[in-house]
Amino acid sequence: MARRLLAAADLVVGPVVAVGVVAVGLLVADRITVPAGSNVGLALTATGGALVAAVLAAAAWARSPLVAAPLAWVGLAALPAVPLTLLLANTPHYLFGVGGDQQFRVAFLTRFADSARLADFAYADMPPYYPAAWFWLGGRAAALLGVDAWAFHKPYSIATLAATSVLTYALWALVTSRPRAVGAAVATTLAGFVTLAAYSPYSWLTAALVPPLAVLGLRLVRRSGAWIRTALLAGLVLGLAAVTHTQILVFAGFVLTVLAADGLVTRRARPATLAVTVVVVVAAALPLTLVHWLPYLLASAGQPTYSAGQHFLAEAGSRWPLPMLEATPVGALCLLGTVWVVARFRTDPVARALGVTAACGYVWYLLSTAALAFGSTLLAFRIQPILTAALACGAVWAVVSLAGVLRDRGVRAGTCAAVATALAAAVVVGQVQSVPADYAWTGTAQDYRPDGTRPDGSRDPADANAWLGELRTTIDGLTGRPPREVVVASANATLHSYAPYFAFQASQPQYANPLADHPARTDEVRRWAAAADPAGLLAALNRAPVRAPSVFVLDRAGDGTLRLPLAQDRFPDPRQGAEPAVFAPQLFDDPAWQRRDVGPYAVLVRAGVPPVP
């Protein structure tokens, strides 16, 4: 009973403690001034890593689980929180500000901070395609705390990474001893650092759980232990993946399927009992899965769709990951783990589960390359963190095996443990202090506040984003409506990150909901721009097959024309730019339109358009 209560505490109390650790860390970091170009941040990060390593060592050495568990929660939460809070100490934004992928992520949070209604981050009148659970929870939490969604993005992301480390420990503690669970959770978190998993915390939330889930899955296949509770837990993890990141769900299902097939081939599993297990797992995963996917599936029935989400080939996805050959602390872990997994694959269930996970990762890369022949990919770079974590975790068991060999040769157990702890601490410090350099590329180049100022209060009128505040004030003043009731076709995509306006078109095809049919909407915009006169434009807007924008935010060109930038899916060509839609200013010379010029933009608002319900 005590063991069950402690396991429940790991899953419930542990993440709460992790959030508290992050809150304290942010309060401390906000009082630290790190001069630009100095090594102060690096020194603090290195020292912080050493302190975290000490706490984790104490958790591994503690004999009482009642002492070890809280120490593990605090140490594992601090492991990602310390370097990231220090790295971002001088900015209110998370990694990369509101640039790149963060643009639509902040927009998603902003959508749900404004309303609890399940909706797409960009398009009106349709359910979301990208799993929305992480964004919904973050948006509602921001609303509850009275914090702007863009400002909540940073603490929420770091808290997610901290809670993920603790949840990883909780799952590992179900299949191994607590000291090994600490080691596996540390290895997983460090693997996340080197694969830049922190850039996408909502996908790492379940990606980090795949290696221990594979071990749990192998137990299910072999029906060892309390299989019903294990099946329910596995189903809940899959359900969590279904509402946070679809690709992780598919990959985790792939790993579990291979493990099931392995059980049948090796005759470790009976078909009838395995079928019952699968039913229990699916039944546990289905409720969460349907919360997100049922509205989308109902809306898409019989409707044309276009998805460019898979049309992206990152550098990390174009070459096979070989972390065991990298000259980093995690590379050393992966090398050691690879040797152990291969050597013990036939005899140790943990080695078998980790080996299958890594092998599935390489198969995924192979299939992703093959998909290029069909004009798509499987976004293999998303699997790299899982593959790396699986091999790094193997190092923990390798060290334990090596210690056993040394004990057999007369070396004292305490000596072996002390050496292993010292080496583990060195790995932690070494990898943590490299975080500032590893994540330097994220920068804060688009680190703007909603009013267009920088965090230090400065403002550059020559910068298009310097006019964000005026744009919002102008749109809200002319429409007289809350942003959630307005559809905007905007030349400034950042505008949607700070206010819950709906967009007529997503800024990039890869972000677009398949129900929106991104190419068709682009063609529709060009038809509007080609209208012969104001009456023709209004008629074209009225005939639009989808809700037309009531607000245009257009670039004012030097020749007097008004332009709306457009994007085009040209995969595998990485260029997405397209010729902008060019509107003659005379098209808006009608009483139906109000125009205000704001910096380099022209804001045009059409009166009498029904609001978005």
Side-chain angles (χ1 to χ4, degrees):
M1 179 60 72
R3 186 175 181 180
R4 293 180 186 177
L5 290 176
L6 193 55
D10 286 333
L11 292 168
V12 178
V13 181
V16 175
V17 172
V19 172
V21 170
V22 172
V24 172
L26 289 170
L27 288 174
V28 173
D30 286 343
R31 288 164 172 74
I32 297 175
T33 300
V34 180
S38 73
N39 291 322
V40 173
L42 178 59
L44 292 173
T45 301
T47 302
L51 294 175
V52 171
V55 174
L56 291 170
W61 276 78
R63 294 185 177 183
S64 171
L66 296 178
V67 175
L71 286 174
W73 300 339
V74 172
L76 289 169
L79 185 56
V82 166
L84 288 175
T85 52
L86 290 172
L87 177 66
L88 301 172
N90 295 323
T91 171
H93 286 277
Y94 191 54
L95 299 171
F96 217 74
V98 289
D101 289 343
Q102 305 294 29
Q103 188 178 90
F104 90 85
R105 293 168 182 166
V106 175
F108 225 160
L109 286 172
T110 298
R111 171 75 59 228
F112 293 127
D114 178 72
S115 171
R117 179 184 176 185
L118 194 62
D120 190 78
F121 77 92
Y123 299 107
D125 309 319
M126 66 179 63
Y129 172 70
Y130 293 100
W134 186 81
F135 302 98
W136 190 91
L137 288 173
R140 299 320 301 156
L144 180 65
L145 297 172
V147 180
D148 289 338
W150 68 269
F152 191 65
H153 185 217
K154 170 183 163 181
Y156 184 47
S157 296
I158 297 175
T160 299
L161 296 170
T164 299
S165 294
V166 174
L167 288 174
T168 304
Y169 165 74
L171 259 63
W172 274 117
L174 294 175
V175 298
T176 189
S177 66
R178 288 188 171 268
R180 292 189 200 183
V182 171
V186 169
T188 300
T189 303
L190 297 182
F193 277 144
V194 300
T195 54
L196 306 180
Y199 185 61
S200 181
Y202 61 95
S203 64
W204 183 238
L205 175 61
T206 46
L209 305 182
V210 173
L213 178 64
V215 180
L216 288 171
L218 190 59
R219 286 192 168 191
L220 281 176
V221 170
R222 297 180 177 183
R223 279 291 184 97
S224 59
W227 76 271
I228 294 181
R229 288 198 300 271
T230 303
L232 291 174
L233 180 60
L236 288 175
V237 173
L238 292 176
L240 179 63
V243 296
T244 53
H245 203 281
T246 308
Q247 185 176 355
I248 305 304
L249 168 68
V250 176
F251 181 75
F254 177 38
V255 172
L256 294 179
T257 300
V258 172
L259 289 170
D262 175 69
L264 293 175
V265 170
T266 58
R267 298 184 179 180
R268 294 291 188 94
R270 296 180 179 179
T273 56
L274 186 58
V276 173
T277 302
V278 171
V279 169
V280 175
V281 171
V282 171
L286 200 57
L288 273 177
T289 303
L290 292 179
V291 167
H292 171 80
W293 285 106
L294 185 59
Y296 177 82
L297 293 175
L298 291 176
S300 62
Q303 298 296 318
T305 61
Y306 175 85
S307 177
Q310 305 291 101
H311 295 178
F312 178 68
L313 184 60
E315 181 183 355
S318 60
R319 49 184 171 80
W320 283 37
L322 298 170
M324 71 290 292
L325 301 182
E326 296 177 0
T328 64
V330 171
L333 291 180
C334 289
L335 178 59
L336 192 58
T338 300
V339 172
W340 180 81
V341 166
V342 173
R344 296 296 182 88
F345 186 81
R346 291 181 176 274
T347 58
D348 191 295
V350 174
R352 198 171 193 86
L354 294 179
V356 167
T357 302
C360 286
Y362 285 114
V363 170
W364 194 278
Y365 266 78
L366 178 63
L367 294 175
S368 184
T369 302
L372 290 172
F374 302 94
S376 187
T377 74
L378 296 183
L379 301 178
F381 69 97
R382 297 284 188 197
I383 306 303
Q384 183 183 9
I386 302 175
L387 190 156
T388 304
L391 296 177
C393 286
V396 177
W397 278 261
V399 170
V400 172
S401 299
L402 183 59
V405 172
L406 294 176
R407 284 197 303 270
D408 292 341
R409 296 188 177 184
V411 180
R412 295 174 58 185
T415 302
C416 293
V419 172
T421 302
L423 290 175
V427 168
V428 170
V429 175
Q431 201 62 69
V432 166
Q433 68 183 10
S434 71
V435 168
D438 292 342
Y439 284 84
W441 65 278
T442 59
T444 52
Q446 300 192 43
D447 196 1
Y448 296 93
R449 296 178 184 271
D451 61 359
T453 60
R454 299 275 191 174
D456 61 2
S458 63
R459 176 176 173 177
D460 180 9
D463 194 317
N465 278 322
W467 303 94
L468 287 169
E470 284 81 351
L471 285 175
R472 293 175 60 197
T473 300
T474 302
I475 293 171
D476 295 344
L478 293 178
T479 61
R481 291 174 180 166
R484 78 176 74 93
E485 297 181 359
V486 179
V487 177
V488 180
S490 176
N492 188 322
T494 308
L495 181 66
H496 298 279
S497 297
Y498 291 128
Y501 303 113
F502 283 102
F504 179 77
Q505 183 68 299
S507 59
Q508 298 294 337
Q510 285 77 9
Y511 303 157
N513 192 315
L515 290 172
D517 197 348
H518 190 278
R521 287 188 178 235
T522 297
D523 292 341
E524 187 70 18
V525 171
R526 295 195 185 281
R527 280 191 288 270
W528 298 341
D533 51 41
L537 174 60
L538 292 173
L541 291 171
N542 292 334
R543 291 194 307 268
V546 294
R547 187 184 296 272
S550 58
V551 177
F552 285 87
V553 178
L554 305 177
D555 286 328
R556 292 190 294 125
D559 58 2
T561 59
L562 306 176
R563 304 190 174 200
L564 182 65
L566 298 172
Q568 180 180 354
D569 177 23
R570 297 177 176 175
F571 186 80
D573 188 336
R575 296 173 298 174
Q576 296 182 357
E579 287 297 319
V582 181
F583 292 80
Q586 294 80 10
L587 290 177
F588 299 96
D589 288 341
D590 187 279
W593 295 98
Q594 298 181 73
R595 174 173 172 170
R596 297 286 189 278
D597 290 344
V598 178
Y601 301 104
V603 178
L604 300 121
V605 177
R606 184 184 179 189
V609 178
V612 177

